[in-house]
């Protein structure tokens, strides 16, 4: 019986992606904009998503606003801008969000922060997660993880931070948590110049 269970486990774990009759999963069908989510977002104080002026170097990928609002084509965004990729199972994301929020409160007028909740399938929990740490900066949603299929070359890991310069070009990508405002300020100053 033990051998049978082990054999079944191996069959379940075998990759199936090489079969000809399997099609790509397609766009995510997770609802990130419902009346209930809009209410949660308002209660959490999360700011609206705002498309950029266009001409940026980020991928041509349009993402919905977490909890409702305007969709944003990433390629429309210019900087200086801090873009943070996170998801709810990520402990390091939870640890760094207060520092990102403090940076947003201190420097958001000159260097805004934009979060992207990636690969989460429970947007209500993601909004609660942001509310729990007091993160009010705008949040996009990418439940299908589409940003990992772009030419940015991102690894599917969290957290990750992308700095976008004033010309809309990606100045740097940082993997791992940023646990203090000073760390974020240093990263911004090093790669975006005297913008603070």
């Amino acid at each position: 019986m033990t051998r049978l269970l082990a054999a079944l486990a191996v069959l379940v774990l075998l990759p199936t992606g090489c079969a000809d009759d399997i099609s790509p999963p397609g766009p995510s069908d997770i609802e990130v904009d419902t009346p209930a989510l809009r209410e949660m977002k308002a209660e959490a104080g999360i700011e609206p998503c705002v498309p950029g002026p266009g001409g940026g170097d980020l991928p041509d990928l349009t993402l919905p606003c977490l909890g409702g609002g305007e969709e944003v084509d990433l390629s429309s965004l210019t900087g200086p801008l801090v873009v943070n990729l996170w998801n709810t199972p990520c402990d390091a994301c939870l640890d760094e969000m207060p520092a990102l929020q403090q940076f947003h409160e201190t420097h958001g007028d000159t260097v805004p922060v934009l979060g992207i909740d990636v690969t989460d399938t429970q947007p209500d929990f993601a909004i609660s997660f942001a509310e729990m740490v007091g993160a009010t900066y705008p949040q996009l949603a990418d439940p299908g993880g589409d940003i990992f299929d772009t030419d940015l070359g991102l690894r599917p890991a969290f957290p990750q931070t992308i700095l976008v310069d004033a010309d809309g070009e990606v100045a740097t990508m940082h993997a791992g948590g940023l646990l203090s405002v000073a760390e974020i300020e240093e990263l911004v100053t090093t790669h975006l110049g005297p913008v603070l």
Side-chain angles (χ1 to χ4, degrees):
M1 184 66 171
T2 304
R3 286 184 185 178
L4 176 62
L5 289 174
L8 286 173
V10 167
L11 284 174
V12 167
L13 294 174
L14 283 175
T16 58
C18 57
D20 292 335
D21 60 344
I22 295 176
S23 59
S28 168
D29 62 356
I30 302 296
E31 291 280 337
V32 299
D33 182 358
T34 66
L37 292 173
R38 283 180 177 250
E39 186 176 329
M40 287 182 69
K41 177 179 178 173
E43 289 174 4
I46 298 173
E47 297 171 19
C49 302
V50 180
D57 195 37
L58 287 172
D60 183 11
L61 173 65
T62 299
L63 296 175
C65 195
L66 179 62
E70 283 192 79
E71 292 183 333
V72 174
D73 180 347
L74 297 184
S75 69
S76 76
L77 300 174
T78 57
L81 176 68
V82 174
V83 180
N84 181 256
L85 278 58
W86 64 281
N87 74 0
T88 53
C90 164
D91 290 337
C93 301
L94 181 68
D95 292 340
E96 82 170 352
M97 278 180 128
L100 286 164
Q101 176 63 25
Q102 190 177 350
F103 180 89
H104 172 65
E105 290 171 5
T106 305
H107 303 292
D109 289 341
T110 53
V111 185
V113 176
L114 174 67
I116 304 179
D117 176 36
V118 185
T119 67
D120 271 336
T121 57
Q122 297 180 334
D124 55 341
F125 187 61
I127 292 171
S128 297
F129 186 95
E131 183 177 25
M132 179 175 63
V133 297
T136 62
Y137 48 88
Q139 299 286 346
L140 297 175
D142 182 10
D146 295 331
I147 198 165
F148 293 131
D149 294 328
T150 67
D151 59 4
L152 280 173
L154 294 165
R155 295 181 308 107
F158 304 98
Q160 294 191 62
T161 301
I162 303 167
L163 297 187
V164 180
D165 69 18
D167 295 324
E169 295 184 10
V170 175
T172 194
M173 296 189 293
H174 173 84
L178 297 163
L179 300 181
S180 70
V181 174
E183 277 186 76
I184 303 169
E185 289 172 338
E186 182 179 355
L187 190 69
V188 166
T189 301
T190 299
H191 297 282
L192 299 181
V195 293
L196 300 180

